[in-house]
Amino acid sequence: MLQPSESHDISGAAGDPTTAPVRLAGDGGRSGPNPPSTSVITKTKPRTKRPNLYRVLILNDDYTPMEFVVHVLEKFFQMDVEAATKVMLHVHHHGIGECGVFTYEIAETKVTQVMDFARKHQHPLQCVMEKK
Ligand code: TYC
């Protein structure tokens, strides 16, 4: 008499080495032929990390025309003429003022754009960035 384990399997999956459950030694026979299905639940915390932020600042000087500074703030910092004039006058009176807050690469780009533009027009306007 053939035992079930000796029979020639013609039913498909059970005898298919690619799908047959692996029988593990020492599992008390719980692994097959139909072992209880188990799964591993991995908890991944929804981690949102905030980027480092940088202030872009302009500095006062005695020579750069007020209209040029207003133009810079409109051109590179998307300010309207009223906001740009307020910032320019703040810098004129206090020596330094904020143009905006950006991630590192954007802040660096703004500083370069302002410095290149000021140099091109031969104005000594200075623009810097500082970590918040
Ligand atoms: N102090 C300049 C002047 O009187 C105007 C000025 C304002 C220059 C802001 C630079 O960042 C600046 N012409």
Side-chain angles (χ1 to χ4, degrees):
M1 173 79 176
L2 284 175
Q3 293 305 305
S5 63
E6 296 170 277
S7 67
H8 293 279
D9 183 76
I10 54 166
S11 66
D16 177 352
T18 63
T19 55
V22 174
R23 280 151 214 270
L24 301 172
D27 73 349
R30 285 173 52 77
S31 68
N34 295 304
S37 58
T38 58
S39 52
V40 176
I41 310 295
T42 52
K43 279 191 211 163
T44 51
K45 269 195 181 169
R47 277 258 177 258
T48 53
K49 42 180 190 174
R50 293 148 297 124
N52 291 320
L53 294 176
Y54 297 80
R55 273 187 201 97
V56 172
L57 306 161
I58 50 168
L59 307 180
N60 189 35
D61 66 72
D62 293 339
Y63 307 102
T64 304
M66 290 185 171
E67 307 72 50
F68 183 82
V69 178
V70 170
H71 181 58
V72 162
L73 294 169
E74 292 177 299
K75 183 177 174 69
F76 297 112
F77 298 94
Q78 284 68 51
M79 292 184 199
D80 60 30
V81 68
E82 290 81 16
T85 302
K86 273 188 196 168
V87 172
M88 181 279 295
L89 285 174
H90 174 95
V91 176
H92 179 71
H93 288 119
H94 298 92
I96 193 164
E98 186 178 293
C99 307
V101 175
F102 307 95
T103 55
Y104 185 87
E105 279 208 321
I106 308 251
E108 201 186 33
T109 299
K110 300 280 181 194
V111 169
T112 300
Q113 287 173 330
V114 172
M115 294 298 286
D116 288 353
F117 192 66
R119 192 173 309 122
K120 180 170 128 184
H121 291 87
Q122 302 192 321
H123 295 310
L125 178 64
Q126 294 293 302
C127 183
V128 298
M129 61 193 271
E130 69 166 33
K131 196 162 189 281
K132 261 181 82 88

